[in-house]
Amino acid sequence: YETTGDAAYNTAGEITFIKPWFDHPYLLSLIEGLWTEAWGYRFPSTPPSLLLRIPMLGFALASLILFWKVSRTLFTQQAALFSFTLFALSPAFIIGQRMVVGENVIVPMLLASMYIMISKAKKWYVLLPVLAAAALLTKMTGLIVLLVIGLWFVLQKDWKSAVTYAGIGLGLFLLLYLPFVYSLGWNEFVEITSKQTFRLLGWVNPAFIMSQPGFHHYIFFDLSYYIVLVLGFAGILSSKASAKSNLMKFATFGALLLLWITSAEQDALGWYKLPFFTLLAVSTGYMFELIKPAT
């Protein structure tokens, strides 16, 4: 391993940077690295946290726009406005979207792929594998985008398209990721990955999701968190069967399953919940239409 450290950038001069590091794929690091380099901050200096969060604001804006597009395609204007208001004004989402985490890059890619599919904009289908690969290059849990894309075609029994788009997305990810891994050291990658697998993962009790409000590793009190949780689940369970509602239903439960498998009660890494809660926030529109049907 190559190590580097500079007491000028560390309060106690005790921090050591290790290279290579394979905690996650490189897209988020590349985005933040290019952004901070443009402002003159070079490794291993520590840029101001405000500067680091500015790219996240761009992804948050994209998420807001795409959230509205998805909701408006699924619901009446009133129901779409209801779900959008919950998503846009929830303190948990507002704070969570400013965190420098891969989930905030994955969410707009997830919403973009869902909008392309439910609006049946076939001319944009070519972007689906790109969105899937980009999500995976951000974080391995970006797999949710690949799964949702495959799910859309499976629900329509279009097996050929499911294999084609999912396969191209996965192939594009491997094409862009494996050479990078190999260039930094294949043996190191295998060793570090094997050590990462010893981390405690999974929940003992699925009700754990009720015990930790917010998207942080500390307790965050916010009623909107529970409103989204309750109305989102009630909405997808009460929605009428259709290709679009089935996609929302299976995608939401798929995101919950992925969260259950990859998260940990011991760590309570709340930002893992952002993609799942974004889908739940969309699904609150179903509950609004049930309570106040369109006239």
Side-chain angles (χ1 to χ4, degrees):
Y1 300 99
E2 176 186 345
T3 62
T4 180
D6 192 331
Y9 297 116
N10 306 312
T11 303
E14 297 175 351
I15 298 176
T16 300
F17 296 90
I18 301 175
K19 180 183 178 183
W21 179 251
F22 298 96
D23 189 31
H24 296 301
Y26 55 80
L27 185 57
L28 176 59
S29 300
L30 186 62
I31 293 170
E32 289 289 349
L34 290 173
W35 171 252
T36 52
E37 284 270 354
W39 286 89
Y41 291 91
R42 302 186 63 84
F43 182 85
S45 61
T46 304
S49 60
L50 175 61
L51 185 66
L52 292 171
R53 295 181 195 279
I54 291 177
M56 297 299 103
L57 293 178
F59 286 110
L61 177 60
S63 294
L64 283 171
I65 294 171
L66 290 165
F67 187 99
W68 172 255
K69 291 285 189 180
V70 170
S71 297
R72 191 65 187 91
T73 304
L74 291 171
F75 313 122
T76 62
Q77 184 170 344
Q78 293 83 358
L81 185 60
F82 175 76
S83 62
F84 179 80
T85 301
L86 277 177
F87 182 71
L89 300 182
S90 164
F93 279 113
I94 290 173
I95 296 174
Q97 288 176 331
R98 281 144 182 77
M99 300 177 70
V100 185
V101 292
E103 283 76 10
N104 282 327
V105 181
I106 292 170
V107 165
M109 296 176 186
L110 175 61
L111 292 172
S113 63
M114 295 188 73
Y115 176 65
I116 290 171
M117 293 183 294
I118 63 177
S119 63
K120 297 183 178 180
K122 294 186 177 180
K123 64 180 179 180
W124 297 109
Y125 275 17
V126 66
L127 294 179
L128 295 177
V130 177
L131 291 168
L136 279 166
L137 285 170
T138 303
K139 195 173 183 179
M140 288 302 179
T141 49
L143 178 67
I144 184 62
V145 178
L146 189 70
L147 295 176
V148 169
I149 291 171
L151 175 63
W152 170 251
F153 294 108
V154 168
L155 289 172
Q156 299 177 83
K157 298 183 179 180
D158 187 351
W159 312 105
K160 181 179 179 181
S161 294
V163 172
T164 299
Y165 286 103
I168 293 175
L170 180 60
L172 185 59
F173 161 69
L174 294 175
L175 180 66
L176 294 171
Y177 185 55
L178 289 182
F180 167 77
V181 169
Y182 185 79
S183 69
L184 293 179
W186 181 254
N187 292 332
E188 290 85 351
F189 171 74
V190 172
E191 181 180 352
I192 292 173
T193 303
S194 65
K195 291 184 181 298
Q196 282 283 79
T197 60
F198 284 97
R199 179 184 169 206
L200 295 174
L201 294 176
W203 300 346
V204 175
N205 187 343
F208 175 70
I209 199 169
M210 300 289 292
S211 69
Q212 185 69 12
F215 304 123
H216 304 266
H217 55 77
Y218 54 85
I219 295 175
F220 183 84
F221 296 104
D222 180 11
L223 179 61
S224 66
Y225 176 93
Y226 293 105
I227 293 175
V228 170
L229 186 64
V230 174
L231 293 187
F233 269 123
I236 59 174
L237 292 175
S238 63
S239 61
K240 297 179 180 179
S242 68
K244 296 176 182 179
S245 64
N246 286 341
L247 177 67
M248 282 302 306
K249 185 177 299 184
F250 285 108
T252 303
F253 281 108
L256 174 59
L257 179 61
L258 188 63
L259 171 64
W260 190 347
I261 294 170
T262 60
S263 189
E265 292 178 4
Q266 294 80 8
D267 293 338
L269 303 178
W271 53 88
Y272 280 40
K273 295 183 284 188
L274 279 162
F276 169 58
F277 268 77
T278 299
L279 296 180
L280 277 181
V282 172
S283 297
T284 60
Y286 289 115
M287 199 62 187
F288 181 90
E289 289 189 333
L290 182 66
I291 297 172
K292 190 174 181 179
T295 56

